Structures are given as C-alpha cells and as structure tokens.
Amino acid sequence: MWKRGVLWLLVLGPLFFASYGFANWFTGQRADVGSLVFAWEPQIPLWSWTIVPYWSIDLLYGLSFLLPACRREMDRHALRLLAAQVICVACFLLWPLRFTFERPPLDGTFGLMFDVLMGFDKPFNQAPSLHITLLVIIWAMFANHTRGLFWRGLLHLWMALIGISVLTTWQHHFIDVPTGALAGFVCLWLLPLQSDTPLKQMRLSSDPRRWRLALRYGLGATLCAVLAAKLGGAWLWLFWPAVALAMVALNYLLFGAGGFRKQADGRFSPAATVLLAPYLLGAWINSRLWTYRRPKPSQVAEGIYLGRLPAPHDLEGFAGLVDLCAELPLQRTPPAYCSLPSLDLVAPDALTCLRAAEAIEHLRHHGPLLVCCALGYSRSATAVAAWLLHSGRCQSVDAAVALIRQARPQVVLGPQHLAALQSMIDAQAGLEVAHAG
C-alpha cells in the first residue's frame, strides 16, 4: 500500500508547487489585490517559535500516506488533497487577497526557517488558507488511525497548534482560517472514506415539490450571503448559514437524502455536522416547537409507537427504532436500529415505504418499537401505514390512515403519501401474481 502512497505523492507534490507558485506569480502581477483585515488583528502576537508547527504540516502531509489501510481509503485521501488544491487555488485566482502585516527581521534558527518559507510563499494566497484546508484533511486521516487517550490528546493538541500558527507566524489574516476550514470540510463531505461520494448519488429531481423547497432554501442562502457581504464585520459569519442552506437546497435539487450524510448509526459525519450546523440547530428547534404540546409517542398497534426524533431520555422503554429523518442526527441509538433517511416535507417513495414496512416487521420482535421522523407527523406515519398494509393488518390505504389518525390526530398525510402507499400495494400485488404464475 505504501507504494501507491508514494505514487500519489509523486503526482500531488509537483502539482502543489506548480499550481501554488502559478497563483502567487499571477496574483503578483495584478493591481486589484485587496485585503480583509479586522481592527483587532494587529493585537495578534508574532511567536517566531510557531514556525515549527507551521512547517510540520509538510512532514505530516507525507506521513499521512502511510496510514490508509486499503486502496479505497488511500485514493479518497489523495483525492481530498487534490480537491483542496483545486478549490483553494481557484479562489486565489478569482478572489485574490493580500497579507498586510510587515514582519520584523528574525534571527536564529526560527529566522532561517522564515527566510526559507518566504522563498516560495508570497503574501498573495490568503482566503481560503490552503494550510488550514490541508490541515483539516490530514487531521481527519490521523484521527482515524490514532488510538489511545494519550496519543489522541497529543495529536489534537499539535494539530490545533498548527492551526493557530497560521496567525502567530503572521502568514494569514483571520478570514483565511474559517474559510480554509470550510474548504477542508467540503472536501471531507465530498469524498468520504467509506461510503459513496454525493456526486455518485447526484440526480436532478423531477419532483416540483422538491424544486420549490430547493428554491426556498436557495433564497435563504442568498439572503444570508448578501447580508454578510453588505454588512461585513461580525456579519460575515452569516456566510456559514448561507453555506448550510445552500447545501440543503442542493440536497433537495440533486443529492437527495444522502446529501445529509446520515450514517448507519444515526449520527452525521463530522464534516456534515460542521457544514450544516446552523441549519441543524434551526431544524432541531423547529421540531421541538411543533411538538411542544405533544412530545410523547403515540401507540398505533401493540408494541408499535409513532413519534418525533427522540432525545436520549425519550428512548427509555424502547428496544428498537426505525428512523425516517434525514436532516437531524440521532444522539443515541437503541439496540435495534434502522435508518431510512427521507427528505422532510417530501413523501417517501414506494420502495422506501416497503423497506420501512420490512424494517418495522423485523425490529418489532425485539420489543417496543418507535417509528420516528422530525415531528412524527408525515414520513414516519407513512412508514407505519406501510407496515399496517404490508403485514395485512389493514386492507386499504384509507383504513391504515384512519387507524393512525385515531392514535395520532396531528399526522399530515397528503395525496403524495397516499399515492406512494398505493404504489407499494400495487407493486406487491404484481409480485404475488408473477410468483403465482
């Protein structure tokens, strides 16, 4: 495996110096290079010794290729680093910024290290900081392969020091750090080590409802971005919710529920958690406000309950959970768990209904089972209705929906939900006829 890592280094190394050097040279010829500096930044101290952790990322870059345990992990790690290079260099060329502080002369070993650095690192390549972007990717790789409390603590301490060093060596302004971290997490989200990339799941939706929802989230992202750009200062943090809302819009338009990166254990990947954090907070508050007056699950049949996405204490008494919620992570999973992520405000399709029915039938034998989505009003209600039909407890969609509404009057099942359930029944009937023939 190390030979493949060496081959990747032979490709990425020259590409790094060529693209980074070109961006430096090209931007140095321009007269329109500005800067973005906050008033408090001159208070950042110059700690010459932090050039050591700053330089150490080059060593860690090479060592990171010794860690992957399989070809897939190696290639994904290399592609993450390649994506980081492409994203950052593109930003350097499109929106060039200049570092404005004048560093005083430095003596000794640290001064020599600064002189070597200045030989190829010019003050033009700023936001997003490629140093920070690469740090996020390398940090994630080392964290995946570091065991033991002491070694993990040492790893996180040193990586954090590298992150701080871009400021205390006077190499970057503050704006470069969060934008660099953002670019790094985009690379992690785009190229997961284990599961498929969202690009592989990309399909342009033909559902008008998904288009309308994508438009609403897109407008929200645009509003946040415009306010951030117009107001500046602390308002620049609005770019974070702008990115989160833009990603949600793309999920509705292109990536589907898989774009949220909800894992088999109900949690989100670290990259998705960071990128979507403002949206996740809003979605969680929304789910609690809508269910404030009726937080407890409703029993639909013996051992089958319908409710909102549970907090850890809400799982007491349940042996299993079928989770239809794509946009919120689960903090704790019961012994028997199945995740079937579905988009909010969009009816699950017939195949999802069938899978949910089969999951409910399988997991209910472990004990009391909770079927949930964000509110417990639509997606999870559709799943329970699918189980009632699939198991033969109800003979029609209307009968299944009536039983659920009797147990939980707040459920909202529109024409799309009913059509998906009917499609599931028709597909099952067709299979039975085919088998009989």
Side-chain angles (χ1 to χ4, degrees):
M1 189 56 61
W2 66 269
K3 293 181 180 179
R4 191 174 188 83
V6 171
L7 289 175
W8 269 116
L9 275 174
L10 291 175
V11 172
L12 294 175
L15 178 65
F16 172 86
F17 287 104
S19 60
Y20 195 74
F22 172 76
N24 266 317
W25 171 81
F26 183 81
T27 306
Q29 313 303 308
R30 299 173 63 168
D32 60 340
V33 181
S35 60
L36 203 168
V37 190
F38 294 101
W40 52 266
E41 289 192 54
Q43 305 302 316
I44 298 175
L46 173 62
W47 293 339
S48 59
W49 63 269
T50 55
I51 191 64
V52 175
Y54 185 90
W55 265 106
S56 70
I57 197 172
D58 296 303
L59 175 62
L60 295 173
Y61 186 104
L63 291 178
S64 68
F65 284 92
L66 301 177
L67 299 176
C70 63
R71 179 172 177 172
R72 178 191 178 93
E73 187 180 15
M74 177 71 77
D75 290 349
R76 284 292 172 89
H77 177 60
L79 289 173
R80 284 174 169 181
L81 296 172
L82 176 61
Q85 193 75 20
V86 171
I87 292 172
C88 291
V89 170
C91 291
F92 297 156
L93 296 175
L94 293 173
W95 304 290
L97 292 173
R98 180 187 180 95
F99 187 77
T100 59
F101 293 174
E102 197 67 37
R103 188 186 301 113
L106 299 169
D107 299 325
T109 303
F110 299 146
L112 178 61
M113 295 176 72
F114 273 100
D115 292 340
V116 174
L117 179 63
M118 292 302 99
F120 68 90
D121 194 9
K122 306 304 179 183
F124 301 113
N125 299 332
Q126 294 297 304
S129 166
L130 180 57
H131 210 87
I132 295 295
T133 304
L134 295 177
L135 173 65
V136 169
I137 297 170
I138 294 169
W139 194 339
M141 175 54 68
F142 274 89
N144 285 340
H145 292 274
T146 303
R147 301 292 179 266
L149 183 61
F150 172 78
W151 291 110
R152 288 185 66 84
L154 185 62
L155 168 71
H156 295 319
L157 178 63
W158 188 258
M159 293 295 184
L161 192 57
I162 294 175
I164 294 171
S165 71
V166 303
L167 298 175
T168 56
T169 54
W170 286 12
Q171 281 294 108
H172 284 276
H173 288 304
F174 178 77
I175 192 65
D176 310 340
V177 176
T179 52
L182 173 65
F185 283 112
V186 167
C187 294
L188 298 186
W189 173 82
L190 195 63
L191 294 159
L193 295 180
Q194 305 300 330
S195 56
D196 288 335
T197 170
L199 296 178
K200 192 173 181 179
Q201 304 168 347
M202 187 167 61
R203 300 287 187 279
L204 185 62
S205 174
S206 59
D207 185 348
R209 187 167 183 81
R210 285 179 59 173
W211 276 80
R212 289 194 295 270
L213 290 166
L215 177 61
R216 292 175 188 175
Y217 283 113
L219 290 174
T222 302
L223 177 61
C224 289
V226 169
L227 288 174
K230 292 292 184 181
L231 300 177
W235 290 95
L236 288 171
W237 285 108
L238 282 177
F239 276 118
W240 192 1
V243 168
L245 293 173
M247 289 184 65
V248 175
L250 290 174
N251 287 344
Y252 276 96
L253 195 61
L254 296 174
F255 300 124
F260 287 100
R261 313 310 295 165
K262 190 164 184 174
Q263 301 171 340
D265 62 356
R267 294 177 174 83
F268 277 17
S269 68
T273 300
V274 172
L275 293 172
L276 294 170
Y279 166 79
L280 296 178
L281 178 61
W284 183 85
I285 292 173
N286 178 70
S287 74
R288 267 41 196 171
L289 288 176
W290 276 101
T291 58
Y292 174 74
R293 295 187 180 278
R294 187 155 185 172
K296 293 184 179 181
S298 306
Q299 184 172 1
V300 178
E302 185 177 355
I304 305 297
Y305 293 80
L306 176 61
R308 69 183 187 182
L309 190 79
H313 64 271
D314 295 328
L315 284 170
E316 297 298 330
F318 290 103
L321 178 67
V322 175
D323 179 7
L324 277 292
C325 185
E327 72 279 10
L328 286 173
L330 194 65
Q331 299 176 41
R332 183 171 69 87
T333 56
Y337 175 73
C338 177
S339 178
L340 295 169
S342 302
L343 291 172
D344 187 25
L345 300 176
V346 176
D349 58 23
L351 180 58
T352 302
C353 290
L354 178 59
R355 289 175 176 170
E358 293 173 342
I360 293 171
E361 180 62 26
H362 173 69
L363 296 183
R364 73 183 185 89
H365 299 291
H366 294 267
L369 178 68
L370 174 62
V371 184
C372 73
C373 57
L375 308 181
Y377 292 164
S378 292
R379 288 167 289 178
S380 53
T382 307
V384 174
W387 171 73
L388 290 170
L389 294 165
H390 181 69
S391 64
R393 285 170 172 78
C394 290
Q395 302 305 313
S396 68
V397 173
D398 289 341
V401 172
L403 181 60
I404 292 172
R405 283 183 171 148
Q406 182 179 358
R408 195 170 177 84
Q410 296 84 3
V411 298
V412 180
L413 295 174
Q416 286 186 320
H417 300 87
L418 304 182
L421 291 169
Q422 188 62 52
S423 295
M424 184 196 75
I425 294 175
D426 295 342
Q428 280 187 289
L431 286 175
E432 290 174 359
V433 170
H435 288 154

